[in-house]
Amino acid sequence: MPRALITGITGQDGSYLAELLLSKGYEVVGMVRRTSHHSYERIEHLLDRVQILPADLLDQHSLTMVIRETEPDEVYNLAAQSYVPTSWSQPVLTGEFTALGVTRILEAIRLAWPSARFYQASSSEMFGRAVETPQRETTPFYPRSPYGVAKCYGHWITVNYRESYGLYAVSGILFNHESPRRGIEFVTRKVTDGAARIKLGKASELRLGNLDARRDWGFAGDYVDAMWRMLQPAEPRDYVIGTGETHTVRELVEIAFGHLGLDWQRYVKQDERYLRPAEVDVLLADPSRARAELGWSPTVDFRSLVTMMVDADLNLLSQRR
């Protein structure tokens, strides 16, 4: 039975990845911060099937001890300060977790169990003000937030450990991926939750930032499958993962409100407080390498993703009445 260690197992991606690996017969170990106040809500249904161990991306010794104790076949580093707006208010902490944290876990693997295969969660935010569209594995990075900068560091340190120490270490440059398990602070979930609240009479308006920002949005359940596929080939290689389609925040709003029979223009207000200091206007993936070499492709289209999330939020809020 192969063993996988997942940092960030309590998050959206971690919960879907744990489900996937368990379905494939893996023994799954989840790493959580000892001082973390994060809810286990997303993995509550899995707690009798996974092992949870405490460690911290800020503490080298704890990471080395967990790697030494578990001797994992695969390590998925999904833990990070992952909310872009927060990276502006907490840039140093974002760097500690999202950049240096990657170095610490790679160093733990190098020292304690170098045969482990390592997956690093890179991000389309590394492309930022993209110098070409669509973005592929060879597109230069131009990050536009402290989060994007930190992710660039994590990406390049992964490349360095692969090339310097011979570790099997890869980065998945994942474009935006959403689900009903997405945190409420992210724009997709903010929209679907807001639409459901208005439908149920729990809110009268929804305030958003840039409605013209375009993103390549996919389903998180599809994207964790890509993570697993990246650790299976004989040779390690980085991949861009996305749908190859962009949609605006305005389209997201139209679909979400329309699904509930609501005219979004009556309820949605633009608010300058939600604009970024440096905006990222268009991110669009070219996932052709992943399609050709990994046999990966998305199974959930944009409209189905949005309506799935709206239905989940409507059900969740209805239960709280």
Side-chain angles (χ1 to χ4, degrees):
M1 179 183 292
R3 182 181 298 120
L5 173 66
I6 303 173
T7 76
I9 193 172
T10 60
Q12 169 189 255
D13 292 6
S15 65
Y16 280 111
L17 180 60
E19 287 176 346
L20 176 73
L21 295 177
L22 287 169
S23 74
K24 294 181 178 295
Y26 278 66
E27 179 183 346
V28 175
V29 180
M31 193 192 90
V32 298
R33 295 175 66 198
R34 191 184 300 275
T35 57
S36 176
H37 300 293
H38 289 301
S39 168
Y40 285 82
E41 180 181 2
R42 294 185 182 94
I43 60 167
E44 191 172 358
H45 61 298
L46 303 175
L47 287 176
D48 61 340
R49 302 170 61 196
V50 302
Q51 180 184 6
I52 302 295
L53 293 176
D56 196 319
L57 288 180
L58 302 184
D59 178 28
Q60 180 70 61
H61 178 70
S62 69
L63 295 173
T64 304
M65 293 302 293
V66 164
I67 296 293
R68 184 169 291 145
E69 178 181 342
T70 58
E71 298 182 348
D73 298 285
E74 298 172 359
V75 177
Y76 296 86
N77 183 40
L78 310 184
Q81 191 300 101
S82 59
Y83 186 44
V84 174
T86 297
S87 76
W88 290 105
S89 59
Q90 298 182 318
V92 176
L93 186 64
T94 297
E96 286 287 351
F97 278 112
T98 308
L100 292 178
V102 185
T103 310
R104 294 186 188 104
I105 197 163
L106 281 165
E107 188 69 358
I109 291 170
R110 184 183 75 84
L111 294 172
W113 196 245
S115 64
R117 296 190 171 199
F118 175 77
Y119 171 85
Q120 164 60 13
S122 285
S123 168
S124 60
E125 288 286 335
M126 300 188 306
F127 295 122
R129 181 188 281 178
V131 300
E132 65 177 0
T133 299
Q135 293 89 51
R136 51 185 62 86
E137 290 81 5
T138 56
T139 302
F141 299 141
Y142 193 152
R144 297 272 281 172
S145 67
Y147 171 79
V149 172
K151 279 293 186 183
C152 285
Y153 178 100
H155 181 89
W156 283 116
I157 201 68
T158 301
V159 172
N160 272 257
Y161 269 70
R162 178 172 71 218
E163 295 180 351
S164 301
Y165 300 116
L167 296 185
Y168 192 111
V170 304
S171 289
I173 307 174
L174 271 56
F175 281 63
N176 297 64
H177 47 288
E178 318 298 321
S179 77
R181 301 179 192 175
R182 182 51 120 173
I184 199 72
E185 68 273 18
F186 289 84
V187 68
T188 47
R189 184 73 191 288
K190 184 177 179 180
V191 167
T192 59
D193 173 80
R197 287 181 183 277
I198 291 169
K199 180 67 174 180
L200 295 172
K202 294 175 179 284
S204 59
E205 68 174 20
L206 175 63
R207 292 187 171 271
L208 298 171
N210 183 9
L211 296 181
D212 296 315
R214 304 186 69 91
R215 293 292 183 273
D216 184 329
W217 277 299
F219 173 52
D222 287 337
Y223 287 44
V224 298
D225 175 59
M227 297 177 189
W228 175 78
R229 288 172 185 255
M230 283 183 223
L231 294 191
Q232 308 316 307
E235 297 297 324
R237 198 172 190 191
D238 303 328
Y239 291 90
V240 161
I241 302 296
T243 68
E245 298 179 359
T246 62
H247 300 273
T248 63
V249 175
R250 183 176 282 102
E251 289 177 75
L252 166 67
V253 169
E254 288 173 350
I255 293 172
F257 278 76
H259 184 59
L260 297 176
L262 299 172
D263 178 2
W264 71 272
Q265 296 184 70
R266 291 180 56 190
Y267 304 103
V268 175
K269 314 293 182 186
Q270 279 197 278
D271 191 327
E272 290 186 357
R273 291 179 300 171
Y274 299 112
L275 297 176
R276 296 183 182 184
E279 186 58 75
V280 173
D281 296 316
V282 181
L283 291 175
L284 172 62
D286 175 3
S288 54
R289 178 191 285 182
R291 290 176 184 270
E293 298 181 8
L294 301 178
W296 178 86
S297 61
T299 66
V300 178
D301 64 31
F302 181 65
R303 180 173 293 274
S304 299
L305 172 64
V306 176
T307 57
M308 173 206 306
M309 293 176 66
V310 170
D311 289 341
D313 277 323
L314 193 67
N315 181 61
L316 183 64
L317 291 165
S318 297
Q319 293 174 1
R320 295 176 181 171
R321 274 183 158 175

